[in-house]
Amino acid sequence: MLILAAASAAGFGFSVYFGFRGVWVAAYLTLALGIAFAALARMMYKWAFLFVRAYRDMQRPDWRPAKDLNGVAARQLSEIPIPGGRAKEALIAGEAWTQSRHKRIGYIYWTDTVLILQYEDEEGTDRYLKSLPFRTDREGFEDVLFQLRREGIPLYRTELNLIRMKAEDFREEYASLPKSLYDPGIPIERHRKVRREEFPLPWKSLSAEARERAAERRNDKRFYRPVRIGGFLVNFLIALLWIPLWEPIPGTNGFLWADDFDSASGALALFNLTWFAVAGRYWRGSLGRAGLKVPLDVLKLIAVHMIGLAGAGLYRSVEGDYYMNMLLLDLTLGVFLIGVFAFERLSTAQERRFVSPDSVDANGLEVRTSEKEEQPGSGRFDTLSSIVFLLLLAANFLMGWLLLPNAALDSENGVYDITTPFLLAAFLLLPVTGAYWRKSTKLWAPLNGAVFLFGVQFVGTLLGMPDYAEADEIRHILFYSAVLLAIGLYPVFIVMRTAGYLSRRSRERRKERKAPQ
């Protein structure tokens, strides 16, 4: 903890030093590291304080659990004094989690067993205790079961994965949990690695979901919303007071990139990239709603910079090149934000998968229907299609940046020869990556694909041909190509959506015929 605090202080000190020297990228990087180390030190201090206080309380001879307990170790279960022996019943449940692979993409899937104990406190209120997974402690698990049976406490069992349930959630949801009496003759498999198809999705109760929504609103109010407002305010002040003082660097696209750490615009781009990665909350919500956040954030940032530069024009002369350079900087930032968006969505995809109360049977086993299995974000296909879509965008961005400035125009057809294979690849891949056959795919999916494609090509040409007048014809041709692509994709969308509907109806009819009369 002290090491982190010292590293944080060093980061702030170096940031001030580099700032006075005008080495802006290094100044921002050291400032960001200082803030990160300070936040980590504060978090560790808070955890250590709570742990020490809880440990000291449990060492007191008169200590009794006055509230619901989470994360009780297996060896501590028999040591916790339940007031007056008021344990009512115990539930053996599952707890499954994922572990990222170190050497390749994907997850390792683990399952284990936890114990939930229901008891009454001294006031007669039902309380709950949830243990940690028993892992390889088979003897400890058997000892706990033996003690519970010896004291005549009823034992139940459920197949639910309760990793997202806290002890306090059971106050409202315990009675409705699907469970059956524990049969000692049925073995309990603990701490084993399973295939993805066998992995039980976490069960999320109504109270747990409401608690998560309330926590999100509380975090938005306390952290994310002030950070977003503060970031826009910082960008406005920079555009108003600092950007008009920047001088274009010879040999670069305006003041967009410099080849050293002195670039103020590079520091601003890194700041905005980090700021949106933290405060953008791209990991939340459905893919459709989250996907709109990146272009909306970029448009808001452009508006803030334009307003700031317009305000700067009230007290000094601001040339039109400054507006174009800031537009170029913000659009380039949008390309990198697509990568940030993809990383956050893919890294948190497992957290958005859960089982609702109406998706399990009487024993807690998940009911997987064909309609449920084809939802987006629920399989390896969706991860692979997202990667292919990002590769397609990256290829078109590089084409606009590196290939189009030297490409030859086919005057007969009014197109550049180099764009034809890229448009053909987009026409073939977008219907697959967009999953046009799915019922959940929105009507504007083809238009979104064409707009994203044109956007990355446009930003690529801004980098490859910063002179807007020279590149004007190229960008017009790219726009018309995107329009034609969108028009061509909609018949494909209609055909694939119809085929998907007929396929679903065929499966439903086969199930109806196989169902017992």
Side-chain angles (χ1 to χ4, degrees):
M1 193 184 305
L2 294 177
I3 295 176
L4 290 175
S8 175
F12 290 129
F14 278 113
S15 176
V16 174
Y17 170 76
F18 287 128
F20 278 112
R21 296 292 300 269
V23 187
W24 299 112
V25 173
Y28 170 70
L29 291 177
T30 51
L31 176 64
L33 287 175
I35 295 174
F37 285 135
L40 187 58
R42 182 180 181 276
M43 188 183 304
M44 291 185 65
Y45 174 79
K46 182 178 180 181
W47 287 346
F49 175 78
L50 293 176
F51 176 80
V52 170
R53 186 175 67 177
Y55 179 78
R56 287 178 178 175
D57 288 343
M58 292 182 67
Q59 297 305 310
R60 289 163 37 197
D62 59 339
W63 180 83
R64 293 292 184 273
K67 59 180 182 179
D68 304 300
L69 296 177
N70 286 290
V72 180
R75 63 179 182 277
Q76 295 177 320
L77 284 174
S78 59
E79 301 174 1
I80 292 181
I82 302 300
R86 295 175 179 172
K88 299 175 66 174
E89 64 181 63
L91 175 66
I92 303 169
E95 189 156 301
W97 64 93
T98 58
Q99 176 184 345
S100 300
R101 298 181 184 271
H102 297 293
K103 297 183 179 180
R104 55 193 177 99
I105 299 176
Y107 297 95
I108 301 174
Y109 299 90
W110 295 95
T111 62
D112 211 325
T113 301
V114 295
L115 189 73
I116 293 93
L117 184 66
Q118 182 190 44
Y119 63 94
E120 289 184 354
D121 60 12
E122 295 177 346
E123 299 178 355
T125 304
D126 284 344
R127 298 288 185 180
Y128 296 91
L129 177 151
K130 183 183 178 184
S131 74
L132 290 173
F134 284 86
R135 297 187 181 270
T136 56
D137 188 8
R138 183 175 183 82
E139 293 183 359
F141 178 70
E142 297 295 342
D143 290 343
V144 170
L145 294 186
F146 176 77
Q147 293 180 20
L148 293 173
R149 290 197 299 266
R150 183 182 60 187
E151 296 177 9
I153 298 175
L155 280 174
Y156 293 89
R157 181 177 178 179
T158 183
E159 300 294 337
L160 293 176
N161 175 9
L162 300 181
I163 191 170
R164 295 191 182 177
M165 292 285 287
K166 293 186 176 181
E168 53 268 24
D169 295 329
F170 294 113
R171 299 177 194 171
E172 300 179 3
E173 304 294 338
Y174 185 81
S176 61
L177 290 177
K179 53 184 179 290
S180 58
L181 282 173
Y182 168 66
D183 185 357
I186 302 177
I188 298 177
E189 297 181 352
R190 295 178 298 103
H191 194 63
R192 66 188 185 101
K193 188 187 301 184
V194 298
R195 299 195 305 269
R196 185 182 187 278
E197 295 75 16
E198 301 174 347
F199 180 76
L201 295 179
W203 189 75
K204 184 186 292 187
S205 67
L206 298 177
S207 62
E209 189 169 0
R211 174 171 51 81
E212 289 183 5
R213 300 286 85 79
E216 288 181 356
R217 291 191 295 269
R218 185 168 59 252
N219 292 336
D220 288 344
K221 183 178 180 180
R222 294 179 179 178
F223 179 75
Y224 291 111
R225 195 173 301 158
V227 169
R228 282 183 63 85
I229 296 174
F232 282 118
L233 180 60
V234 167
N235 275 276
F236 172 74
L237 294 177
I238 288 176
L240 179 67
L241 303 174
W242 192 21
I243 292 178
L245 305 178
W246 293 356
E247 293 294 336
I249 302 171
T252 63
N253 299 325
F255 50 74
L256 180 57
W257 301 118
D259 56 1
D260 52 29
F261 282 89
D262 297 341
S263 171
S265 59
L268 178 61
L270 288 174
F271 166 76
N272 286 327
L273 187 67
T274 310
W275 167 51
F276 280 126
V278 174
R281 296 162 293 179
Y282 300 139
W283 59 86
R284 284 190 190 172
S286 63
L287 183 61
R289 291 186 61 185
L292 294 175
K293 291 182 179 179
V294 171
L296 289 177
D297 283 343
V298 173
L299 290 176
K300 292 176 184 177
L301 188 63
I302 292 173
V304 167
H305 284 158
M306 297 301 108
I307 294 173
L309 289 175
L314 298 177
Y315 69 90
R316 63 170 296 150
S317 176
V318 179
E319 299 178 359
D321 289 343
Y322 281 84
Y323 291 91
M324 183 55 63
N325 286 331
M326 283 311 301
L327 177 63
L328 193 156
L329 183 68
D330 293 339
L331 290 176
T332 306
L333 173 69
V335 174
F336 287 97
L337 281 181
I338 293 175
V340 172
F341 172 83
F343 173 78
E344 292 186 356
R345 296 296 297 187
L346 292 176
S347 60
T348 60
Q350 196 64 32
E351 297 297 323
R352 291 188 296 276
R353 302 178 66 221
F354 61 90
V355 177
S356 58
D358 57 351
S359 301
V360 294
D361 61 15
N363 295 319
L365 290 173
E366 180 188 359
V367 179
R368 299 176 184 259
T369 62
S370 59
E371 181 68 21
K372 183 182 180 66
E373 288 175 346
E374 70 169 55
Q375 292 296 321
S378 62
R380 294 181 180 178
F381 170 80
D382 300 282
T383 302
L384 181 61
S385 63
S386 300
I387 295 174
V388 172
F389 180 66
L390 290 175
L391 291 176
L392 180 64
L393 294 180
N396 279 270
F397 169 72
L398 294 175
M399 182 266 292
W401 181 16
L402 303 175
L403 300 181
L404 265 182
N406 302 316
L409 177 64
D410 184 356
S411 56
E412 183 178 347
N413 298 319
V415 297
Y416 286 87
D417 293 337
I418 192 64
T419 62
T420 302
F422 287 89
L423 285 175
L424 181 60
F427 183 78
L428 296 176
L429 293 176
L430 285 177
V432 180
T433 59
Y436 288 179
W437 62 88
R438 284 180 174 167
K439 182 180 179 181
S440 57
T441 303
K442 303 300 182 182
L443 182 62
W444 52 82
L447 181 60
N448 282 347
V451 169
F452 271 106
L453 208 65
F454 169 72
V456 296
Q457 291 173 349
F458 180 82
V459 174
T461 58
L462 286 176
L463 287 175
M465 302 185 69
D467 189 340
Y468 192 86
E470 293 182 6
D472 191 40
E473 184 180 4
I474 290 181
R475 289 157 190 160
H476 276 93
I477 292 175
L478 291 179
F479 175 76
Y480 294 137
S481 299
V483 172
L484 292 176
L485 177 64
I487 294 174
L489 284 175
Y490 268 100
V492 178
F493 177 83
I494 294 173
V495 171
M496 295 183 70
R497 175 61 70 85
T498 304
Y501 170 77
L502 295 177
S503 177
R504 289 192 297 271
R505 290 292 299 167
S506 177
R507 289 198 301 269
E508 291 173 359
R509 292 193 184 97
R510 287 199 299 268
K511 284 186 177 181
E512 291 175 357
R513 288 195 295 267
K514 292 180 180 179
Q517 300 297 327

